[in-house]
């Protein structure tokens, strides 16, 4: 059931995250990896679309997007961008969508707020065609930026909260931190093609950093965030799956 947590931040979300230098840098790093997955005239599902920044990006590339989010406030903001369809829908309710898609995206921690990721993965398997890509960006279990940032301030509970596997957020929502191995098991109907870090040098949103320095960090991310071992230390993890099976 929707509890209104994200409705309360919908009006300020773009100002606090999407439009900031850090928010733009992390999102552009995600786009850099997933843009090649989809072609003009494809139809994709944006699961947990928030204010619709990703949906607008792909619509601008000639891709048809159907966006969903459990927050009416977020959907209202997303519809304000125009160019794509949007509806209020929980991630666990994907099976209610009577459509087939060429692929799907779920960006910036949507699945971290879901209690049963495997159920969501099964729903995606029912609406994404065989051979279609699903790109999910989750909050990582180990973030070197977060650990160092809060440890330096003596806030050790926050510094190592991700290692516990789950923790309450400032919005009152429990955030889960699944491992890559756990996500791979949950997406049993998909094959994991690749995964990389997002935000290894680009810090989390609560870190204050000049825009020029963020740009330099983004350049380092492009080179080093996909590297094994290093990628596991990033703020987010981007996993790219392909739906297995045969059409028809």
């Amino acid at each position: 059931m929707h509890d209104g947590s994200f409705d309360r931040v919908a009006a300020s979300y773009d100002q606090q995250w999407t439009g900031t230098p850090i928010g733009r840098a992390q999102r552009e790093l995600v786009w850099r990896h997933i843009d090649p997955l989809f072609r003009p005239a494809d139809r994709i599902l944006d699961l947990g679309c928030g204010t619709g920044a990703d949906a607008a990006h792909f619509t601008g590339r000639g891709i048809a997007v159907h966006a969903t989010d459990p927050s009416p406030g977020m959907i209202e903001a997303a519809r304000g961008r125009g160019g794509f369809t949007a509806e209020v829908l929980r991630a666990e309710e994907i099976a209610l969508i009577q459509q087939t898609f060429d692929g799907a995206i779920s960006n910036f921690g949507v699945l971290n707020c879901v209690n049963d990721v495997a159920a969501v993965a099964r729903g995606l398997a029912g609406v994404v065609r065989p051979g279609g890509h699903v790109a999910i960006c989750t909050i990582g279990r180990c973030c070197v930026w977060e650990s160092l940032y809060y440890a330096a301030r003596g806030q050790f509970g926050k510094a190592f909260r991700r290692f516990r596997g789950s923790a309450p957020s400032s919005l009152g929502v429990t955030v889960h931190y699944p491992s890559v191995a756990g996500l791979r098991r949950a997406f049993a109907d998909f094959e994991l093609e690749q995964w990389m870090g997002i935000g290894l040098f680009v810090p989390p949103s609560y870190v204050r950093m000049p825009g020029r320095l963020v740009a330099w960090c983004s350049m380092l991310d492009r080179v080093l965030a996909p590297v094994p071992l290093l990628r596991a230390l990033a703020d987010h993890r981007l996993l790219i799956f392909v739906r297995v099976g045969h059409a028809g």
Side-chain angles (χ1 to χ4, degrees):
M1 181 179 294
H2 174 64
D3 63 4
S5 299
F6 289 95
D7 288 338
R8 292 191 290 272
V9 299
S12 61
Y13 184 81
D14 285 342
Q15 180 180 1
Q16 294 178 1
W17 164 246
T18 309
T20 66
I22 289 174
R24 289 197 304 269
Q26 288 209 18
R27 195 176 298 273
E28 287 169 3
L29 288 165
V30 171
W31 290 344
R32 179 172 178 266
H33 291 292
I34 65 177
D35 275 358
L37 304 179
F38 309 115
R39 298 172 297 180
D42 277 353
R43 180 169 174 77
I44 67 172
L45 174 68
D46 184 354
L47 184 66
C49 66
T51 59
D54 293 309
H57 169 75
F58 284 103
T59 298
R61 294 185 56 237
I63 295 165
V65 181
H66 183 64
T68 68
D69 198 281
S71 163
M74 290 292 190
I75 288 295
E76 181 180 359
R79 285 174 175 161
R81 295 180 185 270
F84 53 87
T85 58
E87 69 172 311
V88 177
L89 193 74
R90 296 169 61 242
E92 299 89 339
E93 298 173 326
I94 301 173
L96 298 177
I97 303 176
Q98 301 298 311
Q99 303 177 48
T100 300
F101 298 90
D102 296 298
I105 63 171
S106 182
N107 208 358
F108 292 127
V110 173
L111 295 188
N112 292 89
C113 301
V114 170
N115 291 323
D116 190 351
V117 175
V120 177
R122 289 192 295 271
L124 283 168
V127 299
V128 173
R129 64 168 177 78
H133 285 92
V134 171
I136 63 169
C137 185
T138 64
I139 305 171
R141 180 168 287 190
C142 174
C143 174
V144 66
W145 253 113
E146 180 161 287
S147 295
L148 292 175
Y149 180 86
Y150 284 117
R153 289 159 176 75
Q155 297 175 274
F156 297 105
K158 286 186 175 182
F160 303 107
R161 60 185 171 183
R162 301 192 189 193
F163 292 94
R164 297 195 298 268
S166 64
S169 74
S170 58
L171 293 176
V173 176
T174 298
V175 178
H176 306 283
Y177 304 101
S179 65
V180 170
L183 289 168
R184 192 177 217 159
R185 289 192 297 271
F187 280 76
D189 296 302
F190 297 81
E191 179 181 347
L192 179 61
E193 283 194 341
Q194 58 178 320
W195 72 275
M196 63 286 297
I198 299 294
L200 175 61
F201 291 93
V202 176
S205 58
Y206 47 78
V207 176
R208 301 296 181 185
M209 179 180 284
R212 182 170 296 182
L213 185 54
V214 172
W216 279 103
C217 289
S218 181
M219 291 175 61
L220 290 172
D221 263 16
R222 291 183 178 214
V223 177
L224 297 175
V227 175
L229 299 182
L230 292 179
R231 63 187 179 182
L233 304 177
D235 186 20
H236 291 84
R237 297 170 179 180
L238 175 62
L239 288 78
I240 298 175
F241 292 94
V242 63
R243 175 74 166 93
V244 297
H246 300 283

